[in-house]
Amino acid sequence: MTKIVHCWIEHPVRKLDQTFTYLYDGEVERGCRVRISFGARQLIGFVDRVEESDESRAEIESRYGFALKDIDVVLDQESLITDELFDLAAWLKEHTLSTAIACFQTMLPGKVKPAGRTASALKEKMVRLSDKEVSLTPKQLEAYLYVRDHQPLTYRELRKAYVNQARSLVEKEAVILYEKEREGKVVEPLANEAALPLLEEQKQVMDEILSSDDAVFLLQGVTGSGKTEIYLQLASKALAEGRQVLILVPEIALTPQMIRRVRQRFKDGLAIYHSGLSDQEKYEQYRLVKTRQASIVVGTRSAVFLPFADLGLIVMDEEHDASYKQDSQPCYHCRDVAIYRGRYHHCKVILGSATPSLDSYARALRHVYHLVVLKERINRTLPTVTVVPVREAIRKGDSYILTDVLREKMAERLARGEQVILLLNRRGYSSLLRCRSCQEVLKCPHCDLAMSWHHDIRRLKCHTCGTEMRTPYVCPVCGSREGFMSYGFGTQRLQEEVQNAFPDARILRMDADTTGRKNAHQKILEAFANREADILLGTQMIAKGLDYPNVTLVGVVNGDEGLSRTDFRSCEVTFDLLMQASGRSGRGDKNGEVVLQVYDPTHYAVVCAARQDYEAFFYQEMKFRHAGQYPPYTYLASLTVASKDQRQTDRLSLALKAGLSGDFQVIGVVSLLKIQDKCRSRILLKGKNEEEIRRGIRQFLDTSDLDLKGLKIDINPLYLD
Ligand code: ADP
Ligand code: ZN
Ligand code: ZN
C-alpha cells in the first residue's frame, strides 16, 4: 500500500515553514528522519504525518494536482520522539514564533537532529555464540563459556578478558561478531544514604506541597535552607510510584554535586544530560530515557525535551538563572516548557531559588504559582557582610581592584589555612562611561538606564529606547568637567593583582578562557575542593550553588558593576549575584564572611543583598519596574535583525517598523553593536497583552515577502543589550 508522507524540511525561507508531501511504499512512521529530493537538492526531512491510502499513485497525484516524489531513504526504524513531544513542538513553534524544524532540531540530540549533519549513531562490535560445533582447547572453552555467560558482550570486552583466545574463537566460528548501536549506561548508583529526618520548617513545606492540588510551586529559600533535601524526598515518592523524575540545574558546573546527591540517595537508573556531552553521549542518554532504563535525569536546559514516558516530578533548581533561556531560535524559556510537560504528565513542577525571578515571584503572589518558603539556613548562620565603597579607594588613590579592607581580610583567612573565593562581575563592563570625579555612570535621559559607549562611532546609545548622544562636556550629576572613562578589568588582571599581593598563594582561575576544554570546569572545582589552591577567582559561573566547607571568605570585586548595565533587569541580576555570592561563604562549621566592593553602597540592590532580604528587594524593584512600565507590568518582544550588509539590515528593520501594528508600542529601530561583522538592529514591542504581541508579529510574518533569514524573534527577552 502506498503511504502519503508529510514531512518538515529545513528551508531558509520562513514562508516554507510547512510540511511537504512525498510517497513511500515501505515502512515509515511519524517522527522518523527521511532523505528526500527537494528541487535539485537532497535534504533530510522529518516525518510529521503518515497517511495510508488505498488509492493508486495516479489517483493520489490527480487528487493533489501535481506529481509527487518518492522518499529516497528512511533513516530511522522507529520514531525518534513521542506523541507528547510532537504536540510540544507545535506549541513551541506558536509560543516562540519559530519554525517547526528549528523546534525539532532544538528538541533532539545532535546525532539524530533532522536536517543539519547526518551523522549516525556509533556502532559497536558485539559477540555471541554460534550454533556450530567446534573443538576447543581448555582455555578457549573457558573463553567460550565467558561469552555465553556475559551476554550482551562487546568484542572489546572479550579481548580484554581473553586476549589470546578471542581471535581464534572467531576464526573457528565458535562465536559470531555482529554490530549493534552503542548503548549508554546509566550512572552507577550508590544508594548509601538515607533520607534525612526533615526539620520542622521543611516538614511544613513538604506537607503543603503534597497535600495541595496545585501543579506549580515556587520554593523560595536561601542557600543552605534545605531545598535540595526536599527535592530528593519528593523525587523518592515519584520513583516509588514507578514514575520518572527530571531535575534541572542551570549550568554544567552544577551537575556534579546534584548527581552526587542523587546517586547517594537512590538506586534507580540515572541519566545525565548537558551541553558538555558529545553528540554520541547525548544520543545514548536520550535512548536511556526513551527505553525507560533511566528513571532520574539530572541535566541542563535541553534535558527538558527528553522523551519521558511518565514523569512524576520536575524540579527546576535556581529557577531565576538566565541560562534557562535559549538565546537562539526558538528562544524558549525552560520554565515554560517544564510547566507544559508537567501539565501533560499531571506531575508537580517545583521551581526553586533563593532569589526567584521577579516574574515568578510576582506570579506566586498572584497565586499563579503556589509559594512555599524556607526562611532559615540549616546551620542557622548567615555570613557577616561588609560593604566597601570603591569610590573612596579611588579618591585616596588606592587600588580599586583589591581594596585594603578586602586584602587584609584575605590575609587573615589565608594565614589560618582557610580558602577564599573572589568573584568578578564581568557583564558589560567595558561599554559604560563613568565620571572621573563622582564615578557616576552616564545614563539615558529617558530611561534611567546606563547608556552603552560605542567606541567605533564615539557616541553613547541607549539600547532600550535608541537615544544617541555625544559624550557630554559636563557631568550631568556633579557638574565636573574632568571627563569620563570606562573602568574595566578582567579576571586576568585581577589574578595579577592578587598574586602580587599574595606571592605565595596558590590561585585557580575560572572563566571562559580557562574552561574551554571538556570537563575543565569540573577539574578546576575538584582541585579547589581538594584544597590544591587557596584562592579561586572567576566570573559569575563560580557564584552558583558550589558548596565548600573550607571557604570562609567570598569577595565580590566589582559588586555593583552590573547595576549600571544597560537594561531594565540589571538590578535584579546584580542582586542575585550578590545574594548567591554571600551564600557561598561559611557553609561548613566555620563562620563565613563576605566583602562586597561597590561604587554605590546605598543602592537598594546592595543594601538588600547585604541584609539577605529578598522581599525588600522585590518590592523596591517592582516600584522601578512599574515606573518604567517594564516587565512584569508589561510584555516585551525583541525582534533583532542581523546581516553583514548594512542596507539589508536597514531594509528589514524599517519594514518591520512599518509593518507591525496592533495594541502595543513599537520602539526603535535601535542599532546595536556589531557582532561578528554583522550589522544588527532591534525593534522592541511592548504591550499589556502577550498574545496580542504574538498576533502582530505573526501577521507580519504571514504577509511579508522579504527574506527573513536574519530575523531573530525573542518573546519575553531577558536582556536587551
Ligand atoms: P539548599 O538546596 O537550599 O542549598 P541543601 O538541601 O543543600 O540546601 O541543605 C544544606 C545543607 O543542610 C546540606 O549539607 C544538607 O545535607 C543539610 N540538610 C538539609 N536538610 C537537612 C535536615 N533535615 N537535617 C539535617 N541536615 C540537613
Ligand atoms: Zn560627576
Ligand atoms: Zn533610553
Side-chain angles (χ1 to χ4, degrees), residues 563-622:
L563 291 179
S564 17
R565 273 189 59 209
T566 45
D567 81 49
F568 67 93
R569 239 178 266 266
S570 41
C571 293
E572 185 179 352
V573 171
T574 298
F575 175 75
D576 291 349
L577 176 77
L578 298 181
M579 287 280 281
Q580 301 282 342
S582 310
R584 300 282 63 77
S585 183
R587 302 214 66 185
D589 317 325
K590 303 175 189 120
N591 255 337
E593 203 176 355
V594 179
V595 173
L596 307 178
Q597 293 188 159
V598 296
Y599 283 99
D600 183 0
T602 63
H603 193 288
Y604 63 89
V606 175
V607 174
C608 295
R611 286 207 315 253
Q612 296 272 296
D613 188 345
Y614 176 81
E615 273 206 313
F617 172 77
F618 175 82
Y619 287 109
Q620 286 274 351
E621 179 66 8
M622 286 295 270

Coordinates of all heavy atoms in Angstrom, one line a residue, residues 563-622:
L563 N 24.9 47.0 38.1 CA 23.8 48.0 38.3 C 23.8 49.0 37.2 O 22.8 49.6 36.9 CB 23.9 48.7 39.7 CG 23.7 47.8 40.9 CD1 23.9 48.7 42.1 CD2 22.3 47.3 40.8
S564 N 24.9 49.2 36.6 CA 25.0 50.2 35.5 C 24.8 49.5 34.2 O 25.1 50.1 33.2 CB 26.3 51.0 35.6 OG 27.2 50.3 36.3
R565 N 24.3 48.3 34.2 CA 24.0 47.7 32.9 C 23.0 48.4 32.2 O 22.3 49.2 32.7 CB 23.6 46.2 33.1 CG 24.8 45.3 33.2 CD 24.4 43.9 33.2 NE 23.7 43.7 32.0 CZ 22.8 42.8 31.8 NH1 22.4 42.0 32.9 NH2 22.2 42.6 30.7
T566 N 22.9 48.0 30.9 CA 22.1 48.8 30.0 C 20.7 48.3 29.9 O 20.0 48.7 28.9 CB 22.8 48.9 28.6 OG1 23.1 47.5 28.3 CG2 24.0 49.7 28.6
D567 N 20.2 47.5 30.8 CA 18.8 47.1 30.6 C 18.1 47.0 31.9 O 18.7 47.0 33.0 CB 18.6 45.9 29.7 CG 18.8 44.6 30.3 OD1 18.3 44.4 31.4 OD2 19.6 43.8 29.7
F568 N 16.8 46.9 31.8 CA 15.9 47.0 33.0 C 16.1 45.9 34.0 O 15.7 46.0 35.1 CB 14.5 47.1 32.5 CG 14.0 45.8 31.9 CD1 13.3 44.9 32.7 CD2 14.1 45.5 30.6 CE1 12.9 43.7 32.2 CE2 13.7 44.3 30.0 CZ 13.0 43.4 30.9
R569 N 16.7 44.8 33.6 CA 16.9 43.7 34.6 C 18.2 43.8 35.3 O 18.5 42.9 36.1 CB 16.8 42.4 33.8 CG 15.7 41.5 34.4 CD 15.7 40.2 33.6 NE 14.7 40.3 32.5 CZ 13.5 39.9 32.6 NH1 13.0 39.3 33.7 NH2 12.7 40.0 31.5
S570 N 19.0 44.8 35.1 CA 20.3 44.9 35.7 C 20.4 44.8 37.2 O 21.2 44.1 37.8 CB 21.1 46.0 35.2 OG 20.3 47.2 35.1
C571 N 19.4 45.4 37.8 CA 19.4 45.4 39.3 C 19.1 44.0 39.8 O 19.7 43.5 40.8 CB 18.4 46.4 39.9 SG 18.8 48.1 39.5
E572 N 18.2 43.4 39.2 CA 17.8 42.0 39.6 C 19.0 41.1 39.4 O 19.3 40.3 40.3 CB 16.6 41.5 38.7 CG 16.1 40.2 39.1 CD 14.9 39.7 38.2 OE1 14.4 40.5 37.4 OE2 14.5 38.5 38.4
V573 N 19.7 41.2 38.3 CA 20.8 40.3 38.1 C 21.9 40.5 39.1 O 22.5 39.6 39.6 CB 21.4 40.5 36.6 CG1 22.7 39.8 36.4 CG2 20.3 40.1 35.6
T574 N 22.2 41.8 39.4 CA 23.2 42.1 40.4 C 22.8 41.7 41.8 O 23.6 41.1 42.5 CB 23.4 43.7 40.4 OG1 23.9 44.1 39.1 CG2 24.5 44.0 41.4
F575 N 21.6 41.9 42.1 CA 21.1 41.4 43.4 C 21.3 39.9 43.5 O 21.8 39.4 44.5 CB 19.6 41.8 43.6 CG 19.0 41.3 44.9 CD1 19.3 41.8 46.1 CD2 18.1 40.2 44.8 CE1 18.8 41.3 47.3 CE2 17.6 39.7 46.0 CZ 17.9 40.2 47.2
D576 N 20.9 39.2 42.5 CA 21.0 37.7 42.5 C 22.5 37.3 42.8 O 22.8 36.5 43.6 CB 20.6 37.1 41.2 CG 19.1 37.2 40.9 OD1 18.4 37.5 41.9 OD2 18.7 36.9 39.8
L577 N 23.4 38.0 42.0 CA 24.8 37.7 42.1 C 25.3 37.9 43.5 O 26.0 37.0 44.1 CB 25.6 38.5 41.1 CG 27.1 38.3 41.2 CD1 27.5 37.0 40.5 CD2 27.8 39.5 40.5
L578 N 25.0 39.0 44.1 CA 25.4 39.3 45.4 C 24.9 38.3 46.5 O 25.6 37.9 47.4 CB 25.1 40.8 45.8 CG 25.7 41.9 44.9 CD1 25.3 43.2 45.4 CD2 27.2 41.7 44.9
M579 N 23.6 38.0 46.3 CA 23.0 37.0 47.2 C 23.6 35.7 47.1 O 23.9 35.0 48.1 CB 21.5 36.9 46.9 CG 20.7 38.1 47.3 SD 20.3 38.0 49.1 CE 18.9 36.8 49.1
Q580 N 23.8 35.2 45.9 CA 24.4 33.9 45.6 C 25.8 33.9 46.2 O 26.3 32.9 46.8 CB 24.5 33.6 44.1 CG 23.2 33.6 43.4 CD 22.4 32.3 43.7 OE1 22.9 31.3 44.1 NE2 21.1 32.4 43.4
A581 N 26.6 35.0 45.9 CA 28.0 35.0 46.4 C 28.0 34.9 47.9 O 28.8 34.1 48.5 CB 28.6 36.3 46.0
S582 N 27.1 35.6 48.6 CA 27.0 35.5 50.0 C 26.7 34.1 50.5 O 27.2 33.7 51.5 CB 26.0 36.5 50.6 OG 26.2 37.8 50.0
G583 N 25.9 33.4 49.7 CA 25.5 32.1 50.1 C 26.7 31.1 50.0 O 26.7 30.0 50.6
R584 N 27.8 31.5 49.4 CA 28.9 30.6 49.2 C 29.8 30.5 50.4 O 30.7 29.7 50.5 CB 29.8 31.1 48.0 CG 29.2 31.1 46.7 CD 29.0 29.7 46.1 NE 28.2 28.9 46.8 CZ 26.9 28.9 46.8 NH1 26.2 29.8 46.1 NH2 26.2 28.1 47.6
S585 N 29.7 31.5 51.3 CA 30.6 31.6 52.4 C 30.1 30.9 53.6 O 28.9 31.0 53.9 CB 30.9 33.0 52.6 OG 31.9 33.1 53.6
G586 N 31.0 30.3 54.4 CA 30.6 29.7 55.7 C 29.6 28.6 55.6 O 28.6 28.6 56.3
R587 N 29.7 27.7 54.7 CA 28.8 26.6 54.6 C 29.1 25.5 55.6 O 28.3 24.7 55.9 CB 28.7 26.1 53.2 CG 28.4 27.1 52.1 CD 27.6 26.6 51.0 NE 26.3 26.1 51.5 CZ 25.5 25.5 50.7 NH1 25.8 25.3 49.5 NH2 24.3 25.2 51.1
G588 N 30.3 25.4 56.0 CA 30.7 24.4 57.0 C 30.4 24.9 58.4 O 29.5 25.6 58.6
D589 N 31.3 24.5 59.3 CA 31.1 24.9 60.7 C 31.7 26.3 61.0 O 31.3 27.0 61.9 CB 31.8 23.9 61.7 CG 31.5 22.5 61.2 OD1 30.4 22.2 60.7 OD2 32.4 21.7 61.3
K590 N 32.6 26.7 60.1 CA 33.3 27.9 60.4 C 32.4 29.1 60.0 O 31.7 29.0 59.0 CB 34.6 28.0 59.6 CG 35.5 26.8 60.0 CD 36.8 26.8 59.1 CE 37.5 25.6 59.3 NZ 37.7 24.8 58.1
N591 N 32.5 30.2 60.7 CA 31.7 31.4 60.3 C 32.2 32.0 59.0 O 33.4 32.2 58.8 CB 31.8 32.4 61.5 CG 30.5 32.4 62.2 OD1 29.5 32.0 61.7 ND2 30.5 32.8 63.5
G592 N 31.3 32.4 58.2 CA 31.7 32.9 56.9 C 31.6 34.4 56.9 O 31.0 35.1 57.7
E593 N 32.3 35.0 55.9 CA 32.4 36.4 55.8 C 32.3 36.8 54.3 O 32.8 36.0 53.4 CB 33.7 36.9 56.3 CG 33.7 38.3 56.8 CD 35.0 38.7 57.4 OE1 35.8 37.9 57.6 OE2 35.1 39.9 57.7
V594 N 31.7 37.9 54.0 CA 31.5 38.3 52.6 C 31.9 39.8 52.5 O 31.6 40.6 53.3 CB 30.1 38.2 52.1 CG1 29.9 38.7 50.7 CG2 29.6 36.7 52.2
V595 N 32.7 40.1 51.5 CA 33.1 41.5 51.2 C 32.5 41.9 49.9 O 32.8 41.2 48.9 CB 34.6 41.7 51.2 CG1 34.9 43.1 50.8 CG2 35.1 41.4 52.6
L596 N 31.7 42.9 49.8 CA 31.2 43.4 48.6 C 31.8 44.8 48.3 O 31.6 45.8 49.0 CB 29.6 43.6 48.7 CG 28.8 42.4 49.1 CD1 27.3 42.8 49.2 CD2 29.0 41.2 48.2
Q597 N 32.7 44.8 47.3 CA 33.2 46.1 46.8 C 32.3 46.7 45.8 O 32.0 46.1 44.8 CB 34.6 45.9 46.2 CG 35.6 45.4 47.1 CD 37.0 45.3 46.5 OE1 38.0 45.3 47.2 NE2 37.1 45.3 45.2
V598 N 31.8 47.9 46.1 CA 30.8 48.5 45.3 C 31.1 50.0 45.1 O 31.7 50.6 45.9 CB 29.4 48.4 45.8 CG1 29.0 46.9 45.9 CG2 29.3 49.0 47.2
Y599 N 30.5 50.6 44.0 CA 30.6 52.0 43.8 C 29.6 52.7 44.7 O 29.9 53.7 45.3 CB 30.4 52.4 42.3 CG 31.6 52.1 41.5 CD1 31.6 50.9 40.7 CD2 32.6 53.0 41.4 CE1 32.7 50.6 40.0 CE2 33.7 52.7 40.7 CZ 33.8 51.5 39.9 OH 34.9 51.2 39.2
D600 N 28.4 52.2 44.7 CA 27.3 52.8 45.4 C 26.7 52.0 46.5 O 25.8 51.1 46.3 CB 26.2 53.2 44.4 CG 25.0 54.0 45.1 OD1 25.1 54.2 46.3 OD2 24.1 54.3 44.4
P601 N 27.2 52.2 47.7 CA 26.8 51.3 48.9 C 25.4 51.6 49.3 O 24.8 50.8 50.1 CB 27.8 51.6 50.0 CG 28.3 53.0 49.6 CD 28.3 53.1 48.1
T602 N 24.7 52.7 48.8 CA 23.4 53.0 49.2 C 22.3 52.4 48.3 O 21.1 52.5 48.6 CB 23.2 54.5 49.3 OG1 23.3 55.0 47.9 CG2 24.2 55.2 50.2
H603 N 22.7 51.8 47.2 CA 21.8 51.3 46.2 C 21.0 50.1 46.9 O 21.6 49.3 47.6 CB 22.5 50.8 45.0 CG 21.5 50.5 43.9 ND1 20.7 49.4 43.9 CD2 21.3 51.2 42.7 CE1 20.0 49.4 42.7 NE2 20.3 50.5 42.0
Y604 N 19.7 50.1 46.6 CA 18.8 49.1 47.3 C 19.3 47.7 47.0 O 19.1 46.8 47.8 CB 17.3 49.3 47.1 CG 16.9 49.2 45.7 CD1 16.5 48.0 45.1 CD2 16.8 50.3 44.8 CE1 16.0 47.9 43.8 CE2 16.3 50.2 43.5 CZ 16.0 49.0 43.0 OH 15.5 48.9 41.7
A605 N 19.8 47.4 45.8 CA 20.2 46.1 45.5 C 21.4 45.7 46.4 O 21.4 44.5 46.8 CB 20.6 46.0 44.0
V606 N 22.2 46.6 46.7 CA 23.4 46.3 47.5 C 22.9 46.2 49.0 O 23.3 45.2 49.7 CB 24.5 47.4 47.4 CG1 25.6 47.2 48.4 CG2 25.0 47.5 46.0
V607 N 22.1 47.1 49.4 CA 21.6 47.1 50.8 C 20.9 45.8 51.1 O 21.1 45.1 52.1 CB 20.8 48.4 51.1 CG1 20.1 48.3 52.5 CG2 21.6 49.6 50.9
C608 N 19.9 45.5 50.2 CA 19.1 44.3 50.4 C 19.9 43.0 50.4 O 19.7 42.1 51.2 CB 18.0 44.2 49.4 SG 16.8 45.6 49.6
A609 N 20.9 43.0 49.5 CA 21.7 41.8 49.4 C 22.6 41.6 50.6 O 22.7 40.5 51.2 CB 22.6 41.8 48.1
A610 N 23.1 42.7 51.1 CA 23.9 42.7 52.3 C 23.1 42.2 53.5 O 23.6 41.5 54.4 CB 24.5 44.0 52.6
R611 N 21.8 42.5 53.5 CA 20.9 42.0 54.6 C 20.3 40.7 54.3 O 19.5 40.1 55.1 CB 19.8 43.0 54.8 CG 20.1 44.3 55.5 CD 18.9 44.9 56.2 NE 17.7 44.9 55.4 CZ 17.2 46.0 54.9 NH1 17.7 47.1 55.0 NH2 16.1 45.8 54.2
Q612 N 20.6 40.1 53.1 CA 20.0 38.9 52.6 C 18.4 39.0 52.7 O 17.8 38.1 53.1 CB 20.5 37.7 53.4 CG 22.0 37.4 53.3 CD 22.3 36.5 52.2 OE1 21.9 35.3 52.2 NE2 23.0 37.0 51.2
D613 N 17.9 40.1 52.2 CA 16.5 40.3 52.3 C 15.8 40.4 50.9 O 15.8 41.4 50.2 CB 16.3 41.7 53.0 CG 14.8 41.9 53.4 OD1 13.9 41.2 52.8 OD2 14.6 42.8 54.2
Y614 N 15.3 39.2 50.5 CA 14.8 39.1 49.1 C 13.5 40.0 49.0 O 13.3 40.7 48.0 CB 14.5 37.7 48.8 CG 13.8 37.6 47.4 CD1 14.5 37.6 46.2 CD2 12.4 37.5 47.3 CE1 13.9 37.5 45.0 CE2 11.8 37.4 46.1 CZ 12.5 37.5 44.9 OH 11.9 37.4 43.7
E615 N 12.6 39.9 50.0 CA 11.3 40.5 49.9 C 11.5 42.0 49.7 O 10.8 42.7 48.9 CB 10.5 40.2 51.1 CG 9.7 39.0 51.0 CD 8.5 39.1 51.9 OE1 8.7 39.5 53.1 OE2 7.4 38.8 51.4
A616 N 12.4 42.6 50.6 CA 12.6 44.1 50.5 C 13.0 44.5 49.1 O 12.6 45.4 48.5 CB 13.6 44.5 51.5
F617 N 14.0 43.7 48.6 CA 14.4 44.0 47.2 C 13.3 43.9 46.2 O 13.1 44.7 45.4 CB 15.5 43.0 46.8 CG 15.9 43.1 45.3 CD1 16.7 44.2 44.9 CD2 15.4 42.3 44.4 CE1 17.0 44.4 43.6 CE2 15.7 42.5 43.0 CZ 16.5 43.5 42.6
F618 N 12.5 42.8 46.4 CA 11.4 42.6 45.4 C 10.5 43.8 45.3 O 10.2 44.3 44.2 CB 10.6 41.4 45.8 CG 9.3 41.1 45.0 CD1 9.4 40.5 43.8 CD2 8.1 41.6 45.4 CE1 8.3 40.3 43.0 CE2 7.0 41.4 44.6 CZ 7.1 40.7 43.4
Y619 N 10.1 44.4 46.5 CA 9.1 45.5 46.5 C 9.8 46.8 45.9 O 9.1 47.5 45.1 CB 8.5 45.7 47.8 CG 7.5 44.6 48.1 CD1 7.8 43.6 49.1 CD2 6.3 44.5 47.4 CE1 6.9 42.6 49.3 CE2 5.4 43.5 47.6 CZ 5.7 42.5 48.6 OH 4.8 41.5 48.8
Q620 N 11.0 47.0 46.2 CA 11.7 48.2 45.6 C 11.8 48.1 44.1 O 11.6 49.0 43.4 CB 13.1 48.2 46.2 CG 13.2 48.7 47.6 CD 13.3 50.2 47.7 OE1 13.4 50.9 46.7 NE2 13.2 50.7 48.9
E621 N 12.2 46.9 43.7 CA 12.4 46.7 42.3 C 11.1 46.7 41.5 O 11.1 47.3 40.4 CB 13.1 45.3 42.1 CG 13.4 44.9 40.6 CD 14.5 45.8 39.9 OE1 15.1 46.7 40.6 OE2 14.6 45.7 38.7
M622 N 10.1 46.2 42.1 CA 8.8 46.3 41.4 C 8.3 47.8 41.2 O 7.7 48.1 40.2 CB 7.7 45.5 42.2 CG 7.8 44.0 42.1 SD 7.6 43.3 40.5 CE 5.8 43.0 40.5

